[in-house]
Amino acid sequence: MRLFAAKTILILLILFSSSPPAAAAVNYQELQEDPLETAIKKLASPGGIDWDREEMITGGAPDIIKDMKWPLKSFTLSRGFRRGGHSGLDLIAPKGTPVLAALDGIVEIVSNGGAGFRGYGKVVLINHGGKLWTLYSHNATNNVKVGQRVKQGDVIATVGMTGRATTHHLHFEVRNAKGTPLNPIKYLPEGGVIKRR
């Protein structure tokens, strides 16, 4: 009987105390599905949908990318995009060839090969609405300033061989809001004047 009374008093104290006992914390993070797991499920899902694995895992590319244009009017494609390896395209062209903005945007970085861009030589980085960034490197000259608004097709630099480069060329990268490099070939128009090696 004493045990019953003690349990009853304890229950009443808990019910009427000013601070109820803390509930066991739920780790909601553990309940979240891993992005790679989600991607694999989508890839395996029926329905005839062609899922783009890169876009599912990385957050993909914004709609503005569909309007992107080639940064050079004529070039030889030297080296393509390789996930986990080469994060852009290498476009060979004569020294001094005008480098064009691939989309409208605001110049975010103009670097002469300093911290963060070692090996890239002279670099221009353009922010396209906080959704996409394009990078142009190994430039002979940078023809823009930080904060400058540029229109698609504006001359922003000239082809060079600065940084670690063995020939005159433009290294061109496209990155999404997560900083993930995207394969420019997937989004650039097929009408570019590409000379194959």
Side-chain angles (χ1 to χ4, degrees), residues 64-84:
I64 59 170
I65 202 167
K66 69 182 184 295
D67 299 320
M68 193 166 61
K69 302 282 188 237
W70 287 97
L72 296 177
K73 288 187 177 176
S74 179
F75 55 88
T76 301
L77 181 61
S78 164
R79 193 168 175 203
F81 178 89
R82 195 170 62 252
R83 170 118 351 249

Side-chain angles (χ1 to χ4, degrees):
M1 191 68 168
R2 279 185 175 168
L3 185 58
F4 176 75
K7 283 184 177 178
T8 305
I9 292 170
L10 182 61
I11 290 170
L12 289 172
L13 282 172
I14 291 171
L15 289 173
F16 294 106
S17 68
S18 58
S19 57
V26 177
N27 184 350
Y28 290 100
Q29 202 64 30
E30 284 181 359
L31 301 175
Q32 297 297 312
E33 191 172 65
D34 177 62
L36 185 58
E37 189 180 340
T38 304
I40 290 165
K41 281 183 183 176
K42 285 181 178 178
L43 284 168
S45 68
I49 300 169
D50 282 339
W51 295 99
D52 185 322
R53 189 169 191 272
E54 173 186 299
E55 291 188 7
M56 286 185 297
I57 296 170
T58 67
D63 285 344
I64 59 170
I65 202 167
K66 69 182 184 295
D67 299 320
M68 193 166 61
K69 302 282 188 237
W70 287 97
L72 296 177
K73 288 187 177 176
S74 179
F75 55 88
T76 301
L77 181 61
S78 164
R79 193 168 175 203
F81 178 89
R82 195 170 62 252
R83 170 118 351 249
H86 192 243
S87 54
L89 303 177
D90 286 348
L91 311 175
I92 297 174
K95 180 181 180 181
T97 300
V99 175
L100 314 173
L103 288 164
D104 295 355
I106 296 176
V107 177
E108 194 164 277
I109 293 173
V110 177
S111 169
N112 287 323
F117 291 106
R118 292 203 175 121
Y120 276 63
K122 293 184 179 180
V123 174
V124 172
L125 183 79
I126 301 176
N127 180 335
H128 306 285
K131 299 175 181 177
L132 197 72
W133 282 259
T134 52
L135 178 141
Y136 313 77
S137 70
H138 302 302
N139 306 328
T141 63
N142 291 334
N143 301 1
V144 289
K145 296 179 180 171
V146 172
Q148 182 177 336
R149 285 188 180 279
V150 292
K151 291 285 196 190
Q152 184 180 61
D154 285 354
V155 176
I156 58 168
T158 59
V159 170
M161 200 169 124
T162 58
R164 285 195 301 268
T166 56
T167 189
H168 292 100
H169 75 286
L170 171 69
H171 175 77
F172 176 63
E173 291 185 15
V174 178
R175 293 183 181 253
N176 67 13
K178 290 187 176 181
T180 306
L182 302 174
N183 185 354
I185 291 284
K186 288 175 56 177
Y187 307 104
L188 287 162
E190 290 181 23
V193 184
I194 307 172
K195 302 170 194 164
R196 300 281 177 185
R197 277 187 150 182

